[in-house]
Amino acid sequence: MMILTKKMIEIRNMLARVGQSSTLTLPSIVVIGSQSSGKSSVLEAIVGHEFLPKGSNMVTRRPIELTLVNTPNSVAEYGEFPDLGLGKISDFSSIQRTLTELNLAVPDSQCVSDEPIRLTISSPNIPDLSLIDLPGYIQVVGHNQPLELKQKISELCDKYIQAPNIILAISAADVDLANSTALRASRRVDPRGERTIGVVTKMDLVDATRGSSILTDKQYPLRLGYVGVVSRIPTSTGLFKSGKANLTSAITKNENTYFSAHPLEFGPDSEVSVGTTTLRKKLMQTLEQTMSASLQSTSDAIRQELEEASYEFKVQYNDRPLSAESYLAESLDAFKHSFKQFAEEFGRPQMHEILKNELDQRVLDLLAARYWNKPIHDLYVPIAEPNQLVDLPKADPDSLYWRRQLDASTSSLTKLGVGRLATNVIAGAIQSHISSLINQSTFVNHPFAREAITDAASRILNERFYSTSDQVENCIKPFKFDIDMEEREWAAGREHVQGVLKKELTACEGALKDLENMVGGRRKLREVMGFVDKAKKGDVIVEGETASGAGGFSAALLGKAREAVFLRDRADIIKMRLLAVKSKQCANMNNKYHCPEVFLDAVATKLASTAVLFLNVELLTEFYYNFPRELDLRLGRHISDEDVERFAKEDPKIRKHLEVIRRKELLELVLEKMESLRHLEGQGRDANNRN
Ligand code: GDP
């Protein structure tokens, strides 16, 4: 007996998790009544505790879906808000506070909210019931209440009092039943009184004869009848002190005293039903019967819902199984695999190339600062015919000046903070490789994972940064005092620097071309450049160049021309130096003072090679070892189920896929339960028929 309701309530809660389905509603008891009709008192008498929001201006703003769970084998009584994750709350005044807060959180502009508050109460003293407490109908809108409140409450109630729900219509005995808002609302949707239970409260406020006649009302006869209750205990009796004893037994005791004082009107031989105990029984029976009657239709609805989910799964996802855990695990594996590949391809040669490129730039800067801005014709000038290089006037090989220039340049290069520079450049390169690995992986659509991975990489790199850069700096220290160069290194430098210079030349020429396009053509640029050249040489006197320009050219144009002149001169010098580097003179290491480009390039290579040795040990190897472990820590087995779920759902496609599967599985489970319930029901009926 009554097992069905319990099971159906379980199923109801499961279905609530399926979500977004309006068809799958199992019957519930919906409680309506006008304000102050005694609605809260009736509910609390059933539950046995005060837990509903009270207060002069407290209008319930949200439906409360109250699930009562009978726990015969436990003494504990507690409530739970499944959507809030507050755990079990055994202090009912705390439940009351939470409900009050949830109500107050609905803004005035919204009046009432459709979104139900779900509350489950478990106790050995309550029946299994599923009740929905709705905001009380209001007669007169209070002065500080929104005008539409009355209307909105009535609309909200209308939504809930539809079939197959059972309506518990609360009216007070001291108000004419004809004026009961609850009964009027119920009559509209249940004109024949098939699924309404009438509760008449405050029976103690009218005399017994009147009370008894109310309960046998003929104006709106109800198949399930009326029940009269007294759900307030007179404070003077001392029967109940809040929190001390069970409210239900105190109320029942009081009711018994009252009703047995009028045996003629309310006694066993009268036709009326009275008392909270009677009401509880009636609720249980009615719900059980309604649930039983709806078994078939609910099963059918679930089956249909399941068919739709299965169809969607087949058509859109090809019946491909997926779970949040497997999705994360596979994504992580794939990512680690791509990282492994990267690790195999990125080693010393790659680091060397990156670092050397960086140092090449520094060398170019030094050359520009120390050589190219000077009349370097003194240094070494091959004659202009590229293919017939002839040794020409050159600097005195013993000139102290050129020696100092080269020594100073070398010193600047070795002392520029190679340790920090190298570590920085390589750490940056690793980090940007990781970013591109992320972008090519499934993680690209997962901000949470993306951040976890990026963060893992930077944490390891940052941790190693200072020790690595110190190590590297230490190791290149000898080069700060003495550079020992071999023929082989010189030759390689001579070869390599030509490429560097050519690239720089191309860059200069490209920039020059851009300027041409910007000012409207080569001829135009040449013309202004001519003017700038003459002005530089003093051939034309530019008197008081103003903001508007000079020589008929605008200031902006002159600015561009000066840039162009600089680029042209830089290109000329580079061309000349390229010839010098190619010349026989520079093939000989002894001529290093004439060939600073070659020498500095070779030094840069030495620095890069040495730095890379230590970067490899201190940074790269460490990173390759720690990174996959760090990934496991952050995205592997250790992360909580909620995080896994949150992660997977970050990708909208995956979220939908997972939801379809979950929905399908849940519906399958529910259907299975429904089937076994129906089976049980059938057996019960057979047994009854046999008896
Ligand atoms: P609600 O606004 O419909 O939830 O009504 P309440 O349950 O808060 O009750 C309104 C008022 O009526 C309160 O002061 C209750 O104490 C009182 N009340 C409720 N039931 C009874 C009853 O059976 N007899 C008497 N005398 N008062 C009652």
Side-chain angles (χ1 to χ4, degrees):
M1 180 60 184
M2 298 304 162
I3 190 92
L4 181 68
T5 304
K6 197 181 196 66
K7 293 282 170 209
M8 291 289 262
I9 287 175
E10 278 170 25
I11 288 176
R12 187 171 195 280
N13 288 340
M14 285 170 75
L15 287 175
R17 286 195 287 146
V18 175
Q20 53 161 287
S21 137
S22 51
T23 47
L24 297 182
T25 40
L26 283 171
S28 213
I29 299 168
V30 181
V31 192
I32 53 170
S34 29
Q35 259 187 322
S36 300
S37 58
K39 190 159 67 74
S40 313
S41 304
V42 170
L43 281 172
E44 290 177 341
I46 292 171
V47 170
H49 289 276
E50 275 189 49
F51 69 100
L52 289 166
K54 302 269 161 58
S56 51
N57 205 16
M58 192 65 225
V59 180
T60 307
R61 297 289 186 96
R62 285 171 69 178
I64 302 173
E65 275 193 27
L66 187 61
T67 304
L68 304 189
V69 181
N70 177 249
T71 50
N73 302 321
S74 147
V75 285
E77 295 186 282
Y78 55 87
E80 277 174 295
F81 293 94
D83 302 321
L84 302 188
L86 300 173
K88 296 177 179 174
I89 310 173
S90 41
D91 175 9
F92 282 77
S93 62
S94 165
I95 298 179
Q96 192 173 40
R97 270 198 304 279
T98 306
L99 285 173
T100 307
E101 280 161 19
L102 289 170
N103 267 311
L104 290 173
V106 179
D108 267 356
S109 56
Q110 206 185 328
C111 292
V112 286
S113 155
D114 280 9
E115 198 194 335
I117 300 170
R118 294 200 295 142
L119 170 63
T120 304
I121 294 178
S122 307
S123 156
N125 309 320
I126 50 172
D128 287 305
L129 281 179
S130 159
L131 296 153
I132 299 172
D133 181 28
L134 290 169
Y137 291 109
I138 50 176
Q139 314 300 337
V140 190
V141 178
H143 67 276
N144 50 1
Q145 288 170 342
L147 271 177
E148 324 91 279
L149 187 59
K150 186 174 169 178
Q151 177 69 17
K152 288 272 175 73
I153 289 178
S154 161
E155 284 168 10
L156 177 64
C157 293
D158 282 353
K159 252 198 208 167
Y160 276 90
I161 57 180
Q162 304 302 326
N165 284 339
I166 301 152
I167 304 168
L168 195 65
I170 315 268
S171 321
D174 58 346
V175 178
D176 191 356
L177 275 206
N179 289 333
S180 159
T181 326
L183 287 172
R184 259 187 309 194
S186 164
R187 203 166 186 167
R188 263 190 288 119
V189 293
D190 179 27
R192 291 194 295 153
E194 301 275 1
R195 53 184 180 92
T196 303
I197 300 173
V199 175
V200 180
T201 58
K202 310 191 188 182
M203 289 295 285
D204 56 327
L205 294 188
V206 292
D207 66 58
T209 331
R210 165 124 189 78
S212 138
S213 76
I214 295 174
L215 297 181
T216 49
D217 184 67
K218 296 285 180 293
Q219 291 241 2
Y220 181 33
L222 300 173
R223 182 174 67 86
L224 301 166
Y226 289 87
V227 183
V229 295
V230 179
S231 35
R232 187 176 76 160
I233 356 148
T235 37
S236 56
T237 59
L239 271 171
F240 177 75
K241 286 210 178 58
S242 187
K244 292 253 169 63
N246 186 284
L247 183 63
T248 318
S249 50
I251 284 177
T252 339
K253 214 164 179 180
N254 180 52
E255 276 181 327
N256 285 345
T257 317
Y258 177 79
F259 290 124
S260 53
H262 308 280
L264 198 66
E265 290 84 354
F266 303 120
D269 298 332
S270 68
E271 282 173 25
V272 300
S273 315
V274 288
T276 300
T277 316
T278 313
L279 176 62
R280 273 168 62 140
K281 278 200 195 116
K282 199 185 262 299
L283 292 179
M284 287 157 74
Q285 274 162 1
T286 312
L287 189 60
E288 180 92 358
Q289 279 160 9
T290 315
M291 291 270 192
S292 162
S294 70
L295 257 181
Q296 180 67 49
S297 60
T298 312
S299 279
D300 292 348
I302 293 174
R303 200 184 308 278
Q304 183 164 359
E305 194 91 3
L306 176 61
E307 266 164 26
E308 271 159 32
S310 304
Y311 182 75
E312 190 182 349
F313 183 48
K314 190 183 176 68
V315 171
Q316 295 203 17
Y317 302 100
N318 226 345
D319 284 336
R320 189 160 46 84
L322 181 76
S323 73
E325 300 82 48
S326 67
Y327 174 67
L328 174 58
E330 278 164 28
S331 309
L332 187 59
D333 274 354
F335 186 78
K336 286 205 287 198
H337 183 74
S338 73
F339 174 70
K340 210 170 147 213
Q341 255 175 347
F342 157 72
E344 276 159 17
E345 287 157 14
F346 187 86
R348 274 155 58 175
Q350 288 71 24
M351 284 198 288
H352 189 278
E353 194 186 327
I354 294 171
L355 188 51
K356 185 64 198 326
N357 265 336
E358 190 66 31
L359 290 174
D360 286 345
Q361 283 309 309
R362 306 297 163 121
V363 168
L364 283 177
D365 291 346
L366 283 172
L367 287 168
R370 293 208 178 260
Y371 291 92
W372 298 348
N373 63 345
K374 305 217 161 55
I376 60 169
H377 304 78
D378 294 348
L379 174 61
Y380 169 63
V381 190
I383 215 166
E385 290 304 321
N387 294 324
Q388 319 160 358
L389 292 181
V390 181
D391 289 358
L392 255 211
K394 55 201 82 134
D396 173 2
D398 300 322
S399 157
L400 218 52
Y401 177 75
W402 294 116
R403 282 177 182 242
R404 276 206 220 101
Q405 283 295 69
L406 189 63
D407 290 347
S409 304
T410 312
S411 161
S412 303
L413 184 58
T414 53
K415 288 182 186 154
L416 61 77
V418 176
R420 259 167 175 270
L421 176 80
T423 316
N424 226 339
V425 170
I426 297 303
I430 295 175
Q431 192 94 48
S432 83
H433 274 293
I434 296 295
S435 294
S436 70
L437 288 184
I438 296 175
N439 288 337
Q440 290 156 23
S441 75
T442 38
F443 290 133
V444 67
N445 294 320
H446 296 282
F448 169 73
R450 220 165 43 204
E451 199 182 312
I453 299 172
T454 313
D455 199 60
S458 28
R459 206 184 62 79
I460 302 172
L461 293 171
N462 286 344
E463 230 165 48
R464 310 288 317 159
F465 188 86
Y466 288 105
S467 65
T468 307
S469 70
D470 283 355
Q471 285 272 13
V472 173
E473 195 63 46
N474 263 339
C475 299
I476 59 123
K477 209 168 178 181
F479 298 126
K480 293 180 186 172
F481 305 102
D482 187 26
I483 307 261
D484 201 9
M485 183 125 6
E486 288 174 23
E487 284 289 353
R488 177 179 53 80
E489 292 169 319
W490 179 269
R494 182 165 169 245
E495 183 68 33
H496 184 262
V497 81
Q498 289 181 34
V500 176
L501 290 174
K502 277 182 196 150
K503 227 164 83 187
E504 183 69 9
L505 182 59
T506 316
C508 280
E509 287 169 347
L512 207 51
K513 193 107 209 123
D514 288 346
L515 281 175
E516 274 175 13
N517 293 338
M518 256 185 261
V519 303
R522 163 184 274 227
R523 267 180 58 192
K524 175 86 187 174
L525 187 62
R526 285 284 151 89
E527 189 189 340
V528 201
M529 282 167 77
F531 176 78
V532 172
D533 279 336
K534 277 189 200 154
K536 245 163 102 178
K537 274 197 253 159
D539 288 357
V540 290
I541 311 293
V542 181
E543 275 177 19
E545 183 177 337
T546 61
S548 60
F553 303 116
S554 74
L557 197 55
L558 284 171
K560 295 261 181 300
R562 286 199 183 96
E563 233 177 284
V565 164
F566 169 82
L567 286 168
R568 180 204 61 203
D569 291 350
R570 161 76 62 109
D572 286 347
I573 292 173
I574 294 176
K575 273 185 218 156
M576 189 178 74
R577 295 309 304 159
L578 256 170
L579 290 176
V581 169
K582 278 184 193 157
S583 74
K584 269 191 277 166
Q585 195 88 14
C586 280
N588 186 346
M589 196 165 77
N590 294 332
N591 288 333
K592 67 175 177 183
Y593 296 112
H594 303 302
C595 313
E597 293 85 358
V598 179
F599 185 74
L600 291 175
D601 185 280
V603 173
T605 302
K606 277 173 170 296
L607 290 173
S609 305
T610 312
V612 161
L613 280 181
F614 287 88
L615 284 168
N616 191 45
V617 182
E618 296 294 321
L619 194 66
L620 200 64
T621 315
E622 288 281 337
F623 186 77
Y624 287 166
Y625 177 80
N626 285 316
F627 187 59
R629 281 162 183 78
E630 192 72 28
L631 286 182
D632 277 339
L633 271 184
R634 293 178 190 233
L635 299 171
R637 260 165 282 127
H638 306 286
I639 75 172
S640 68
D641 289 353
E642 293 96 75
D643 277 350
V644 175
E645 198 75 19
R646 194 158 59 91
F647 158 78
K649 288 184 173 169
E650 278 178 342
D651 185 336
K653 279 214 299 273
I654 300 295
R655 192 183 62 223
K656 281 193 76 185
H657 191 167
L658 286 175
E659 268 164 14
V660 169
I661 293 181
R662 203 181 67 116
R663 196 174 156 74
K664 195 173 137 302
E665 285 173 354
L666 212 56
L667 287 167
E668 273 162 0
L669 185 65
V670 167
L671 196 64
E672 207 173 294
K673 284 192 181 236
M674 295 285 288
E675 289 303 322
S676 65
L677 268 184
R678 280 179 57 197
H679 195 63
L680 217 79
E681 266 282 297
Q683 279 178 347
R685 254 200 316 275
D686 290 348
N688 283 343
N689 291 344
R690 250 179 274 126
N691 292 342

